[in-house]
Amino acid sequence: MASKLFPTATIGALLLSSVLAANLFQFSYPSSSSSSSRDFDGADFGRFEFIPIDGAIGPESYAFDSFGEGPYTGVSDGRIIKWHENQRRWFDFAVTSPNRSRCEGPHDHHQTEHSCGRPLGLKFNRMSGDLYIADAYMGLLVVGPQGGLATRVATQAQEIPFAFLNGLDIDDHTGLVYFTDSSSHYQRRNYLSLILSGEKTGRLMKYDPQIKEVNVLAENLSFPNGVVVSENGDFLLIAETTTCRIIRYWLQTSKAGTYEVFAELPGFPDNIKKSPRGGFWVGIHAKRKWIFKWILSHPLVAKFFLELPFDITEAYTHVSNWRGRGLIMRLSEEGVVLDMVEDESGVNWKAVSEVEEKDGNLWIGSIHKAYAGKFKLNDTNYVTL
């Protein structure tokens, strides 16, 4: 039986990879005689540094504390780890689940993340020093400045349990926590099924730490992912993965409580973060080909992929490790593309989840890789459109 399923799984995964990943990227990383280059898997990226993570993969999102230390990031075994630049190593900071049995160590965390936790969106409250966490399985959590076991803040809204918490941001002026639940039906480890199904059960929510209350701001969203508060707090931007677009939800002005399309993107967006130089960085998981639109417009074809006799998300993950290339974009406050950086090699960076700009560096995350990326910026590091 297994031998019969293998060809089917391989063919299905290849088809999905062809649909969701592209090979169209043309960007050469700049080189400099003064840069501290590092050779990783045979590729010299000059100012691009790879920072390995032991025992886990997938630094999906980054956060820096109020002292500027970090970054902190969540990884596949449910830990949140902190980078210490002086010691050049990661330290354990927190965990999102009290159940640590069979969580750590070199194994397929895809099979245990529902019990060990999978921390995704992260952000520190600048006033309290607390770290808020959107864990895909454990819900909305918080942990103090000293770390340890995170405490659950909320697991449902309007009596509907969270199924796939994802993006998170905090308004530094008000302390309000904004976060997304990507689906009411599909869990994180079935994210590809969520895209193919085209379902719209995602929600945008707000948590007020003062009154300890969760409110739903928007419903019927298509895989809402990353979320970010604008500089003056008058709107939110939400990455809607399935539709390959960024939507703007108004918090203030006469449009408060409504949302609109902010930008159409060439691929599937994950997280979105403010740039200290203005605008917003978006991590693109994969480029979208025209055939994907065709599949979603033909429910029977999408149903074929959903009913394949194996885990299509896991199969696609394995195949995408050698297909597809990385793409990051910076958008202006009006949704215009300012910068776009693409991986020419297609070997080491793909499935980009986030870009966090800090002190002249871009910290680049990925849900599949066993390392964090640190890209030193200079004037030649961009392709400006």
Side-chain angles (χ1 to χ4, degrees):
M1 182 66 176
S3 62
K4 293 180 180 179
L5 281 179
F6 180 76
T8 305
T10 303
I11 293 170
L14 285 170
L15 286 171
L16 288 169
S17 181
S18 297
V19 169
L20 296 175
N23 298 300
L24 305 174
F25 304 150
Q26 302 294 328
F27 178 81
S28 296
Y29 286 100
S31 60
S32 170
S33 58
S34 62
S35 64
S36 56
S37 63
R38 177 173 180 178
D39 191 0
F40 192 91
D41 285 348
D44 187 353
F45 284 86
R47 289 180 175 271
F48 201 105
E49 180 183 4
F50 295 86
I51 302 175
I53 295 172
D54 292 331
I57 65 170
E60 206 263 358
S61 181
Y62 299 108
F64 289 85
D65 61 28
S66 56
F67 300 102
E69 295 182 357
Y72 299 70
T73 189
V75 290
S76 60
D77 61 7
R79 288 179 297 149
I80 294 170
I81 55 179
K82 176 185 178 181
W83 175 249
H84 286 252
E85 181 65 30
N86 292 337
Q87 300 187 42
R88 301 293 299 170
R89 57 172 292 196
W90 298 96
F91 287 84
D92 290 349
F93 175 73
V95 293
T96 58
S97 170
N99 178 17
R100 301 303 299 163
S101 175
R102 300 187 303 110
C103 292
E104 298 176 17
H107 67 275
D108 186 2
H109 299 132
H110 182 81
Q111 302 297 326
T112 56
E113 61 183 24
H114 64 286
S115 60
C116 300
R118 185 55 169 105
L120 298 179
L122 306 172
K123 183 68 182 289
F124 279 93
N125 182 306
R126 299 298 181 188
M127 294 175 281
S128 68
D130 293 335
L131 177 65
Y132 280 84
I133 308 153
D135 187 287
Y137 299 89
M138 302 299 143
L140 181 63
L141 312 173
V142 65
V143 65
Q146 302 306 313
L149 176 62
T151 300
R152 286 188 178 181
V153 169
T155 58
Q156 64 176 9
Q158 295 180 342
E159 300 184 352
I160 300 176
F162 303 149
F164 181 0
L165 280 205
N166 202 329
L168 181 148
D169 197 19
I170 298 177
D171 188 323
D172 290 334
H173 302 292
T174 65
L176 295 174
V177 182
Y178 298 97
F179 61 103
T180 59
D181 188 17
S182 294
S183 171
S184 295
H185 300 131
Y186 289 98
Q187 294 185 312
R188 193 210 74 89
R189 56 185 174 184
N190 303 120
Y191 71 86
L192 193 54
S193 297
L194 169 56
I195 294 175
L196 290 171
S197 71
E199 65 121 72
K200 299 180 180 180
T201 63
R203 297 182 289 174
L204 169 68
M205 287 163 286
K206 175 184 71 175
Y207 173 69
D208 187 337
Q210 297 299 318
I211 60 176
K212 302 185 185 306
E213 182 176 280
V214 174
N215 288 312
V216 177
L217 301 180
E219 301 177 280
N220 304 316
L221 302 176
S222 298
F223 199 159
N225 203 322
V227 59
V228 65
V229 184
S230 66
E231 189 63 35
N232 60 7
D234 60 347
F235 64 84
L236 305 173
L237 294 181
I238 303 98
E240 204 175 39
T241 300
T242 300
T243 59
C244 294
R245 66 185 186 179
I246 305 296
I247 59 177
R248 171 161 50 190
Y249 179 90
W250 290 98
L251 296 171
Q252 300 177 21
T253 78
S254 60
K255 296 181 180 180
T258 67
Y259 61 88
E260 62 198 18
V261 177
F262 179 77
E264 302 278 359
L265 303 176
F268 302 96
D270 198 320
N271 290 334
I272 180 168
K273 287 291 190 77
K274 286 193 292 285
S275 166
R277 292 176 296 115
F280 307 91
W281 280 107
V282 183
I284 305 294
H285 176 85
K287 200 113 174 199
R288 179 177 62 174
K289 291 185 176 181
W290 66 268
I291 194 172
F292 183 80
K293 289 184 179 180
W294 180 81
I295 287 176
L296 286 185
S297 65
H298 292 77
L300 290 178
V301 179
K303 185 178 180 181
F304 162 77
F305 285 111
L306 289 170
E307 293 183 350
L308 288 172
F310 59 90
D311 187 331
I312 59 172
T313 300
E314 189 168 8
Y316 168 70
T317 298
H318 288 303
V319 173
S320 66
N321 280 330
W322 54 270
R323 289 180 63 90
R325 300 173 186 179
L327 173 62
I328 64 177
M329 304 176 69
R330 186 164 68 103
L331 304 176
S332 73
E333 293 278 346
E334 292 74 39
V336 176
V337 177
L338 298 174
D339 302 305
M340 183 166 66
V341 183
E342 302 178 285
D343 180 3
E344 183 184 55
S345 73
V347 174
N348 293 305
W349 267 112
K350 54 199 73 178
V352 176
S353 59
E354 180 167 295
V355 185
E356 175 74 27
E357 185 174 346
K358 176 72 172 176
D359 299 330
N361 297 299
L362 298 183
W363 288 85
I364 300 179
S366 172
I367 62 171
H368 296 324
K369 294 302 181 181
Y371 46 79
K374 185 180 180 183
F375 197 4
K376 182 67 176 177
L377 295 176
N378 57 43
D379 291 341
T380 62
N381 280 135
Y382 298 107
V383 174
T384 302
L385 303 183

